Amino acid sequence: MCGITGWLNFAQDMSRELPVVAAMRDKLACRGPDARGEWSSRHAVLGHCRLSVIDPAGGAQPMTRQRGDSAYTIVYNGELYNTNELRQELAGRGHRLQTRSDTEVLLAAYLEWGRRCVERLNGIFAFAVWEEKEQRLFLARDRLGVKPLFYAVRGDSFLFGSELKALLAHPQVEAVLDRDGLAEIFALGPARTPGHGVFRDVRELRPGHFLEVTPGRIHLQRYWSLESKPHTDDWQTTVATVRSLVLDAIERQLVSDVPVATLLSGGLDSSAITAVAAEVFRRQGKGPLHTYSIDYVGNDRHFQANAFQPNADAPWVKRVSDYCGTIHRDVQIDTPELVEALKAAVIARDLPGMTDIDASLLLFCREIKRDVTVALSGECADEIFGGYPWFHREESLQADTFPWALRTRERAHWLSRELRELIQPEAYVARRYRETLAEVPTLPGESAQEARRREISYLNLTWFMSVLLDRKDRMSMAASLEARVPFCDHRIVEYVWNVPWEMKNWRQREKGLLREALTGILPEEVLFRKKSPYPKTHHPAYAEATRRWLLDVLDDPTSPLLPLIDVPAIRALAASEAAASGTPWFGQLMSKPQLFAYLASIDFWMREYRVSIR
C-alpha cells in the first residue's frame, strides 16, 4: 500500500510548489516507507510514498506513460487482485507493459478504457491520473472504500490526499469544525457520515465513486452501486457459489512478492481465511503459513463473558493453528502500553476513534510488521452475511436509528447545553439515518420484514463497515503493514446482497450460509463457534487509567473539551460504581472505559491538531 497526494491549480504556475506537496506527502510516510517520489507540470503536482509489495524494482511512482502526443501520470494506493487477467487483455490490445507492477497495469487500463476502467478492477484502490494534454485530473476509490481518499477545494486550488493529515499540511487547509463537524464527533463518532471529512469544507470521495477535475468544473459520479433483484438460485447453488467466491477471493489476495500472514482469532472468518491460505501455501510449496493473534495481559483472569463476547479466543486460536499447521505467534498487550498508544491511534486516524480498540490494533500491527509486510484479515463478513447482534435482536432490528448506536439520547446528556442547542444531536443523527435509508435500492414485492433487513444490511455496509475499514487501514498503515480483507471482494457483496434472510440465517445461526459454505474447510466446532468480536481488555487497570485521564482533563481549566460537555454529568458518571461496565454506547465493545477514553482523546485531538470552532 502507499500514500498519495496532490495539488491542482489552473490559475497559477505550479512548478514551484513541489516543496509544499512533498511536505504533504511526508505526512503519509508511514503508508509508504520504502520510496518517495513527486512529479510536477504547469498546473499539477503529485506526490507518492511507497510500500513495496509487488515488483519492488519496477513499480516506482509517480509513473508516467505516453500515448500518442499525451502523457498520463498516476499515483496509486492499493492492490489489484485481477492484475494477470487485465495484463493479458491489455497485451492483446497492443499495450507493451514494461514491469510486473499492478500500477502499470492500472495506468494502461486507464489509457485503454478511460473512466470506465474502474468497472474492470477487482481490488482495493484510491488513485489519481493526470492527463497533461486534456488538463484533467481523474480520481477514483474502490467500490467498498477499503482505501481512503480525501479532497478539498480552496479557491482555485484542488487538493487531495490519502489521509486528512496530508491536506492539513497544506497552508490553505485549517482544522476547523463547524456545526456539522461537531455533530460528527459528538453525535455520530466514532462513525462518520460517508463523504464527510469532519473538518469544514473537507470531503471524502465516497466508495464506488470517481471524480474528474478540469478547468472550471468538478464532476463527481457514482460508478458502482448495489442492485436489488430476486435471488433465483436454489440452496445448494447458493452455498456452492458463496464457497467458490470466498475461496477465490482469499487465494487472489495471497499474491505478493513479500511475506504474507493471516490474523487469527479462532472465529469463523479469520479461521476460514487461515485454512484456505494454509492450503494454498502447501499446494504452492511455500512452507508453513504464519498466523498472529492478539490478547491482553491479565485477560485470562479478568475476562467476563457477556452477550457481546461469549467466550475468550485463546483456546480456539490454538485449535485452528494446530489444525492448519501454521507457525503461530500470540501478541500479548499490557495495560500501560495500551494506554500509552491511545494518543498514537488518534494521530493515525486523524480523528477521535475507537480508543483502545484502535490502539490495540496499532500495537498488534507493529508487532506483525516485524516479520511480514502483508496480512489478511477477516473484516466485513459480519456486515455481508448478517453476523452482528442487531441483525437478530428485535429491539435493534426495529429501532428507527442506526442499530449499533441506540443511545443517542443518553449521549446528548453528556454534552453541554450550548452544544446540544447548536448541533441538536438527535435530529442530526435522524437526518443522516433518513438520508441513508433513501439510498437503499428497494425490491418491489418484498415483504416488510425482508425490506427492513435489506435496510439494516445497507446501513451496515455503508456505515458500520466503513468505521472498521477506516480503523484497519489507518492502524495497519501507521505500522507500514498492508492489510487485505478478502470478504470485501465486491463479487461476494453483490451476490450475497440479494440472498434472502432465511438462507443467510440458515439453521437460525448468524452467518449460517457462510458456515455451510465452509463445511469441510474448518473443524465442526470452529465452524459453529458462537460469534465473538475483536477482543478487548477486561483489566480493571485500563478502566481506571481512562477514568483518571478524563478526570485530569476535567481538572484542567484550559481544556478545549470543557465548553462542549456537561462537566458535572461526566464527573458523576466517572464516580459511579458502574464506571467499568455498562451496555455499549457504540457497537459491541465501547462501554464506559471507552467513553472516558473517547472524551479524553477529543481533548488531545483538539490540542494536537489545533482544532478551532467556527
Side-chain angles (χ1 to χ4, degrees):
M1 296 302 165
C2 305
I4 66 173
T5 192
W7 181 8
L8 177 68
N9 191 314
F10 294 108
Q12 73 178 73
D13 184 347
M14 298 293 292
S15 59
R16 299 178 181 178
E17 303 297 348
L18 271 173
V20 175
V21 173
M24 296 168 66
R25 176 208 58 205
D26 289 349
K27 289 292 185 179
L28 305 171
C30 288
R31 299 187 72 90
D34 298 329
R36 301 182 188 185
E38 59 273 326
W39 174 94
S40 68
S41 69
R42 182 171 176 79
H43 294 304
V45 186
L46 305 178
H48 185 269
C49 54
R50 186 183 185 203
L51 179 66
S52 299
V53 173
I54 301 292
D55 192 6
Q61 298 183 50
M63 179 182 286
T64 301
R65 293 292 183 266
Q66 199 81 20
R67 191 172 200 188
D69 60 350
S70 186
Y72 299 77
T73 302
I74 189 172
V75 285
Y76 158 55
N77 167 33
E79 205 73 57
L80 297 185
Y81 304 127
N82 63 336
T83 298
N84 290 337
E85 294 97 320
L86 289 171
R87 185 188 304 277
Q88 292 173 11
E89 184 173 2
L90 290 164
R93 291 174 173 267
H95 292 266
R96 296 187 176 182
L97 302 177
Q98 305 167 26
T99 73
R100 293 189 302 105
S101 76
D102 58 342
T103 304
E104 187 180 26
V105 169
L106 175 56
L107 183 53
Y110 184 78
L111 267 61
E112 181 65 32
W113 297 298
R115 61 168 63 169
R116 300 205 65 177
C117 72
V118 291
E119 300 169 9
R120 297 172 174 266
L121 307 179
N122 179 335
I124 53 179
F125 53 84
F127 68 92
V129 177
W130 171 251
E131 302 180 45
E132 182 64 26
K133 181 180 179 181
E134 298 296 331
Q135 293 288 283
R136 173 166 52 215
L137 181 71
F138 178 86
L139 299 101
R141 191 172 177 212
D142 64 70
R143 294 170 179 84
L144 294 166
V146 179
K147 293 289 105 182
L149 188 57
F150 295 89
Y151 65 94
V153 177
R154 294 293 185 270
D156 294 321
S157 292
F158 180 89
L159 309 158
F160 70 89
S162 294
E163 298 180 14
L164 290 167
K165 57 174 61 69
L167 297 183
L168 292 170
H170 191 280
Q172 291 179 275
V173 181
E174 298 179 278
V176 176
L177 293 181
D178 57 16
R179 182 171 60 183
D180 279 6
L182 286 165
E184 291 288 316
I185 296 296
F186 287 97
L188 287 171
R192 180 164 48 83
T193 301
H196 203 298
V198 179
F199 297 114
R200 188 175 66 187
D201 296 327
V202 173
R203 304 295 299 168
E204 176 189 45
L205 186 60
R206 290 191 64 175
H209 284 69
F210 67 75
L211 186 149
E212 290 177 314
V213 185
T214 52
R217 183 171 184 257
I218 297 177
H219 173 65
L220 177 67
Q221 184 172 320
R222 189 170 193 167
Y223 70 85
W224 179 84
S225 59
L226 290 165
E227 178 185 354
S228 294
K229 55 188 177 182
H231 182 74
T232 57
D233 289 348
D234 62 19
W235 170 246
Q236 294 302 328
T237 303
T238 301
V239 171
T241 302
V242 168
R243 183 185 180 97
S244 175
L245 288 171
V246 169
L247 268 59
D248 182 68
I250 296 170
E251 184 162 358
R252 283 178 182 272
Q253 297 194 24
L254 292 170
V255 175
S256 172
D257 290 340
V258 295
V260 178
T262 68
L263 310 188
L264 177 60
S265 71
L268 177 69
D269 313 328
S270 67
S271 298
I273 292 171
T274 297
V276 174
E279 177 56 33
V280 171
F281 271 41
R282 280 191 292 270
R283 190 170 71 235
Q284 296 178 351
K286 290 185 176 180
L289 175 72
H290 286 249
T291 53
Y292 296 82
S293 62
I294 183 173
D295 208 344
Y296 303 85
V297 173
N299 259 13
D300 55 341
R301 302 188 308 275
H302 300 293
F303 176 82
Q304 295 178 354
N306 58 50
F308 294 99
Q309 289 186 291
N311 46 51
D313 285 338
W316 298 93
V317 168
K318 185 177 187 311
R319 176 74 177 91
V320 175
S321 177
D322 290 346
Y323 178 82
C324 296
T326 73
I327 297 175
H328 185 74
R329 181 182 169 199
D330 179 41
V331 176
Q332 292 272 331
I333 294 174
D334 205 354
T335 299
E337 62 177 331
L338 180 61
V339 173
E340 184 179 351
L342 288 169
K343 293 178 179 179
V346 172
I347 293 173
R349 197 191 272 260
D350 292 320
L351 296 167
M354 297 183 74
T355 65
D356 58 297
I357 316 303
D358 284 358
S360 60
L361 180 59
L362 175 60
L363 294 171
F364 188 31
C365 289
R366 287 175 180 173
E367 289 301 312
I368 298 169
K369 176 62 178 178
R370 294 176 183 270
D371 305 323
V372 301
T373 302
V374 177
L376 274 62
S377 184
E379 274 86 357
C380 307
D382 288 302
E383 290 87 351
I384 295 164
F385 289 94
Y388 289 122
W390 43 83
F391 280 99
H392 306 270
R393 295 180 178 179
E394 198 64 22
E395 175 196 13
S396 301
L397 190 62
Q398 298 305 326
D400 193 23
T401 189
F402 299 108
W404 54 84
L406 301 180
R407 301 174 68 185
T408 301
R409 180 170 297 179
E410 183 174 336
R411 286 185 66 168
H413 291 307
W414 303 334
L415 309 181
S416 67
R417 179 176 56 82
E418 293 79 9
L419 184 59
R420 287 200 305 269
E421 292 176 353
L422 176 65
I423 68 174
Q424 299 182 19
E426 292 181 75
Y428 187 84
V429 171
R431 173 160 64 91
R432 294 307 191 189
Y433 173 74
R434 293 295 173 193
E435 289 171 351
T436 309
L437 291 190
E439 298 176 356
V440 179
T442 59
L443 181 62
E446 197 168 46
S447 70
Q449 186 176 32
E450 195 73 14
R452 179 54 181 166
R453 292 197 187 277
R454 192 178 292 276
E455 289 179 344
I456 293 292
S457 293
Y458 191 84
L459 290 167
N460 275 268
L461 289 170
T462 57
W463 278 80
F464 197 74
M465 192 164 81
S466 292
V467 176
L468 300 187
L469 290 176
D470 280 355
R471 167 180 171 263
K472 180 53 64 79
D473 174 83
R474 304 308 191 280
M475 300 308 128
S476 62
M477 295 276 38
S480 303
L481 176 74
E482 177 175 313
R484 299 178 179 176
V485 281
F487 286 107
C488 248
D489 188 303
H490 71 276
R491 300 169 302 161
I492 300 173
V493 176
E494 289 173 344
Y495 185 77
V496 178
W497 169 252
N498 286 303
V499 172
W501 179 250
E502 58 267 22
M503 287 188 177
K504 292 179 186 174
N505 199 41
W506 181 249
R507 296 182 179 176
Q508 302 299 305
R509 284 300 309 271
E510 74 279 358
K511 294 185 289 190
L513 169 59
L514 181 59
R515 297 177 195 276
E516 189 72 16
L518 295 172
T519 298
I521 293 174
L522 293 171
E524 285 289 307
E525 63 270 27
V526 176
L527 197 62
F528 292 100
R529 179 192 174 192
K530 180 76 173 171
K531 173 183 165 49
S532 190
Y534 178 86
K536 70 174 183 178
T537 181
H538 294 263
H539 203 299
Y542 175 74
E544 178 56 26
T546 60
R547 189 181 76 91
R548 176 48 53 192
W549 183 21
L550 179 57
L551 289 174
D552 287 344
V553 169
L554 299 182
D555 289 339
D556 182 356
T558 68
S559 168
L561 178 68
L562 300 189
L564 303 173
I565 61 172
D566 185 332
V567 174
I570 298 300
R571 283 193 184 278
L573 191 64
S576 68
E577 293 182 0
S581 60
T583 302
W585 55 273
F586 184 88
Q588 303 173 82
L589 302 176
M590 298 189 71
S591 53
K592 283 187 179 177
Q594 288 71 37
L595 170 63
F596 299 157
Y598 184 72
L599 292 175
S601 70
I602 293 175
D603 171 83
F604 167 76
W605 170 70
M606 294 185 74
R607 296 175 192 260
E608 183 74 15
Y609 283 73
R610 299 180 180 177
V611 176
S612 61
I613 298 172
R614 300 178 200 167

